[in-house]
Amino acid sequence: MLNPADYGGKEADIVRALEEDIIFGRLEPGARLVEDVLLARFPVSRHTIRQALYQLEKLGVVTRERNKGAAVRRLSPDEVRQIYEVRELLQRQAALMIPLPASEALIAELMEIHRAYSAHVDAHYLRGIHETNDRFHLTMLSACGNDYLVSSIDHYMRLSLPVRANSLADREELEVSRQHHWLMIEAMKRRDNWVLAQLCVDHLQPSKVFYLKEIEKTGEDAV
C-alpha cells in the first residue's frame, strides 16, 4: 500500500492537497492536472510535481498518457462495479476475522472516532468527514489482525476516491453513513460476525449507487 507518509514531505503535501481536491469535488473526474498550473500553485520543482503525479498514478486516482499529461481518473460503470466487488470481498473477510465481542478499549476508540465524525457531519466539514470516516473503518477492520488484508482495504478505499467524493456532500447519504457506523459499533459488542460483515458490505452501496446514477444522468460511459 502507498501512503503519502511513505515519500518526501513536499511530495506528500502535494499528493494530499490533490487528493482533497478530488474528494471535495474541486477536481472532477477527467480534469487535467497541468504541470505549469501546479507549479504556480506549489512552490516546488517540476521534478517534485512529476513525482507527486507519479505517486497519485500509483494510488490509482490519476491517469497519465503520453503527450496528454495527467488527469483525474474517470471511472467507467464497469470499473466502479469491479472495484466495489473487490471492496466488498475484502471488507467482508476482514469483518469475519475480527474477534467478537471486541475489547472495551477498541469499542471506546471507535466511539470516540464516531463522535468526531458526527460532529463533522453536523458542521458539514468535508475534510473532517472524510478523514474520520476512513479512520473509523481502518481502525475497526484492523482488528482482523491481518496487516496485508488491511493494506488492500486501504488501497481500494483510495482507488474509489472519485466515487466516494460524489456522495460526500449529500446530507442524506451522510446520515445513512452515520447510522451505519453506530450499527457497526453495536455489532462489535456482540458475537455475530456475519451481521458485522453484512453491515460493512451494505455501507459501501450508497456511494456506488449514487455515482452510477450520476453517470447515467449525464450519459457518460468513461474509460
Side-chain angles (χ1 to χ4, degrees), residues 88-104:
E88 289 167 18
L89 288 169
L90 294 172
Q91 296 200 26
R92 180 188 291 113
Q93 184 59 36
L96 291 173
M97 293 168 62
I98 296 173
L100 295 181
S103 68
E104 291 184 4

Side-chain angles (χ1 to χ4, degrees), residues 17-223:
L18 294 178
E19 276 191 321
E20 288 183 353
D21 285 347
I22 294 168
I23 293 162
F24 306 146
R26 294 190 289 263
L27 285 174
E28 296 184 353
R32 291 289 174 190
L33 300 171
V34 180
E35 287 184 10
D36 288 342
V37 174
L38 296 176
L39 283 168
R41 176 179 174 186
F42 302 103
V44 297
S45 67
R46 189 175 296 273
H47 172 75
T48 301
I49 291 291
R50 288 176 176 172
Q51 284 300 111
L53 292 175
Y54 173 68
Q55 298 299 342
L56 285 165
E57 182 183 24
K58 290 178 74 174
L59 288 171
V61 298
V62 161
T63 59
R64 294 198 299 175
E65 296 181 43
R66 184 180 296 275
N67 300 322
K68 288 188 177 181
V72 178
R73 186 174 184 185
R74 189 195 298 271
L75 295 169
S76 71
D78 282 345
E79 287 175 320
V80 171
R81 294 185 186 99
Q82 290 177 29
I83 288 169
Y84 272 76
E85 283 172 0
V86 176
R87 293 192 72 197
E88 289 167 18
L89 288 169
L90 294 172
Q91 296 200 26
R92 180 188 291 113
Q93 184 59 36
L96 291 173
M97 293 168 62
I98 296 173
L100 295 181
S103 68
E104 291 184 4
L106 178 55
I107 295 297
E109 185 177 5
L110 290 173
M111 284 295 298
E112 182 60 31
I113 298 171
H114 179 62
R115 281 192 287 269
Y117 177 80
S118 292
H120 293 320
V121 169
D122 289 338
H124 207 59
Y125 176 45
L126 299 185
R127 178 182 297 177
I129 291 169
H130 167 68
E131 291 179 349
T132 51
N133 176 75
D134 285 7
R135 188 160 78 248
F136 178 90
H137 291 289
L138 291 174
T139 298
M140 179 181 72
L141 295 172
S142 290
C144 74
N146 187 317
D147 292 341
Y148 294 96
L149 178 55
V150 176
S151 177
S152 296
I153 289 169
D154 190 13
H155 172 69
Y156 277 90
M157 286 173 70
R158 288 177 175 273
L159 197 58
S160 63
L161 275 179
V163 180
R164 298 161 59 206
N166 268 38
S167 59
L168 187 64
D170 188 283
R171 292 186 182 275
E172 289 185 9
E173 298 293 345
L174 289 174
E175 189 56 45
V176 170
S177 178
R178 173 158 47 186
Q179 292 171 6
H180 282 174
H181 287 184
W182 175 255
L183 290 172
M184 288 176 196
I185 292 172
E186 290 300 304
M188 292 282 285
K189 299 176 184 177
R190 297 176 172 80
R191 297 180 181 275
D192 194 335
N193 286 76
W194 284 102
V195 169
L196 178 61
Q198 190 59 51
L199 283 169
C200 290
V201 171
D202 290 346
H203 184 69
L204 297 175
Q205 305 313 309
S207 60
K208 177 183 73 174
V209 171
F210 190 93
Y211 186 88
L212 292 174
K213 283 183 177 178
E214 289 299 303
I215 289 178
E216 186 178 340
K217 280 182 193 175
T218 59
E220 293 180 2
D221 189 15
V223 293

